[in-house]
Amino acid sequence: MSDGSKLLDEMNDRSREVFRKVVEGYLTSGEPVGSRTLTRTLDEKVSAATIRNVMQDLEFLGLLNSPHISAGRVPTQLGLRMFVDGLLEVRDLDQADRQKIDATLTSNSQDVSTILDRVGSALSGVTQGASLVLTPKHEAAIKHIEFVHVGGQQALVVLVFSDGHVENRLFTPPLGQTPSSMREAANFLNALVEGRTLSELRRSMTEEIAARRQELNALAATLVEQGLAIWDDNGDTSERLIVRGRSNLLSQDAHAEELGRIRELFDDLERKRDIAEFLELTETGEGVRIFIGSENKLFSLSGSSLVVSPYMNSDRKIIGAVGVIGPTRLNYGRIVPIVDYTAQLVGKLLGDRNQG
């Protein structure tokens, strides 16, 4: 990004203005912007030939591209990044957009997942993109753990939290498990977990199991260790990623190849493939971040952009994120304040609930 900033600083006023107008025109229409169009919109009165020369220079710098021989220019990914970092004018949040988002959070529902699902739907509706909402981990203290055989080679580990929340996780237990070994494993864990959150449990349970392993028979010990693995944060996490509005992208005018890449992106999200990539976006500090095209591995194939912001609890700890996916020609100036406002509102709502 420093290269883009350097280029921007080295541009003269005319080059900077032509570049700005090309990008703004492209983001508005999705079409290449030609020199004749710019002669009508630039403050400075210059000929179309002069503008063409400036555009050729910008193309040489890698900031613009000509999709067709006779067409105008569109910004490259580098050009979009430079525009977003140095020239983007973020608008104030539109009052109508604010009201639509506020309406989703005035629900009487007490269930956080239901509220966040409504937030995702509102975000996709307001932005006409696809929304992502990463729900927070459940951090209430654990009250009870139980292993339940559900037939075949499958079992459930059931977590009951002190606030009444229940989580069920399906897994394949070690061969040879019996109802008595499952009860023994559950009793052992319940003696350790009472009053602890999942995060606290992860930090201490491995050591405690090793120290008290002699209290368990071999089958129960194996089950306990496998149950511990279910709580491991690697791979499948206890967060839930809510994806809404995928039809907004799939229904837009796009080539079959582009539609295929977008479908693959959503399939990956729904299967939580590379979900760690999305989680990483939320862990680098507060504020809205913009990822364009291949800047993030998760979105590189689809050629999409992501505007994302983490939300925090009352202790200023990042606990989740909200974001909007769209084509690289997103109206960034409008989307950024929408995502920022939604993230702040969700954080405040969840903080007030936990204090209440």
Side-chain angles (χ1 to χ4, degrees):
M1 310 315 162
S2 58
D3 291 343
S5 300
K6 184 178 179 181
L7 283 174
L8 193 61
D9 291 340
E10 292 175 352
M11 282 185 190
N12 59 35
D13 291 343
R14 177 182 294 169
S15 296
R16 189 180 294 108
E17 187 64 11
V18 168
F19 174 68
R20 179 202 293 272
K21 291 294 186 181
V22 170
V23 178
E24 289 178 343
Y26 170 73
L27 293 180
T28 299
S29 69
E31 299 294 330
V33 178
S35 55
R36 294 193 180 279
T37 300
L38 292 178
T39 59
R40 297 192 294 269
T41 60
L42 286 175
D43 295 334
E44 182 186 12
K45 298 303 179 185
V46 293
S47 68
T50 299
I51 293 176
R52 279 195 295 273
N53 289 335
V54 173
M55 293 168 77
Q56 287 173 355
D57 291 341
L58 293 171
E59 188 170 358
F60 177 78
L61 293 172
L63 302 178
L64 299 182
N65 185 35
S66 179
H68 307 290
I69 295 176
S70 60
R73 303 304 198 281
V74 298
T76 62
Q77 181 174 305
L78 174 62
L80 280 174
R81 169 49 62 189
M82 193 172 82
F83 175 83
V84 164
D85 287 346
L87 295 174
L88 178 65
E89 296 180 0
V90 176
R91 296 167 16 188
D92 291 334
L93 182 64
D94 183 83
Q95 188 62 31
D97 292 338
R98 181 194 298 266
Q99 290 173 350
K100 290 176 183 175
I101 297 167
D102 287 345
T104 68
L105 299 184
T106 56
S107 164
N108 293 325
S109 173
Q110 297 300 305
D111 180 63
V112 170
S113 295
T114 300
I115 294 173
L116 293 180
D117 189 86
R118 288 166 58 91
V119 168
S121 297
L123 260 183
S124 65
V126 167
T127 63
Q128 289 303 294
S131 68
L132 300 178
V133 179
L134 184 67
T135 68
K137 301 174 185 178
H138 200 80
E139 285 297 305
I142 298 171
K143 182 178 181 181
H144 182 72
I145 292 175
E146 187 174 352
F147 292 106
V148 180
H149 185 261
V150 293
Q153 297 181 349
Q154 298 291 294
L156 285 176
V157 56
V158 182
L159 304 181
V160 180
F161 294 84
S162 58
D163 62 356
H165 179 76
V166 177
E167 286 189 18
N168 301 316
R169 305 190 193 183
L170 191 66
F171 74 110
T172 302
L175 291 175
Q177 288 295 330
T178 65
S180 61
S181 66
M182 285 191 168
R183 281 194 301 272
E184 183 179 357
N187 290 338
F188 177 84
L189 287 171
N190 283 321
L192 295 178
V193 304
E194 188 175 359
R196 298 185 185 182
T197 65
L198 275 176
S199 296
E200 293 168 341
L201 202 54
R202 289 190 189 98
R203 288 194 291 266
S204 64
M205 187 178 282
T206 303
E207 292 79 7
E208 294 210 36
I209 288 176
R212 299 174 58 180
R213 188 183 178 98
Q214 68 277 7
E215 299 177 23
L216 291 169
N217 68 31
L219 273 178
T222 306
L223 182 60
V224 166
E225 288 171 352
Q226 192 149 344
L228 177 62
I230 294 171
W231 295 315
D232 195 344
D233 255 340
N234 295 326
D236 189 21
T237 68
S238 58
E239 295 94 343
R240 187 167 73 97
L241 188 64
I242 301 172
V243 183
R244 292 289 177 267
R246 57 185 290 172
S247 60
N248 289 335
L249 299 188
L250 295 173
S251 64
Q252 292 177 358
D253 293 334
H255 299 299
E257 184 180 349
E258 293 174 342
L259 289 175
R261 289 198 297 264
I262 292 172
R263 287 192 181 97
E264 185 177 340
L265 166 65
F266 284 112
D267 288 343
D268 286 350
L269 287 171
E270 289 175 359
R271 287 195 295 264
K272 293 192 175 182
R273 183 182 298 167
D274 289 332
I275 190 61
E277 292 292 319
F278 183 71
L279 292 173
E280 287 172 8
L281 308 186
T282 71
E283 295 172 352
T284 54
E286 59 183 298
V288 179
R289 301 186 68 196
I290 298 173
F291 295 86
I292 300 171
S294 61
E295 289 177 354
N296 178 261
K297 188 177 79 173
L298 185 59
F299 297 91
S300 59
L301 287 178
S302 68
S304 303
S305 286
L306 168 70
V307 180
V308 62
S309 178
Y311 57 86
M312 302 182 179
N313 61 14
S314 54
D315 297 324
R316 304 296 294 167
K317 176 186 174 185
I318 293 173
I319 57 174
V322 297
V324 171
I325 306 172
T328 53
R329 65 175 191 85
L330 271 177
N331 185 342
Y332 297 99
R334 174 174 175 259
I335 301 297
V336 166
I338 290 174
V339 170
D340 184 43
Y341 179 74
T342 304
Q344 292 186 43
L345 209 58
V346 169
K348 183 178 186 304
L349 175 76
L350 297 186
D352 290 346
R353 286 168 61 89
N354 290 337
Q355 289 178 352

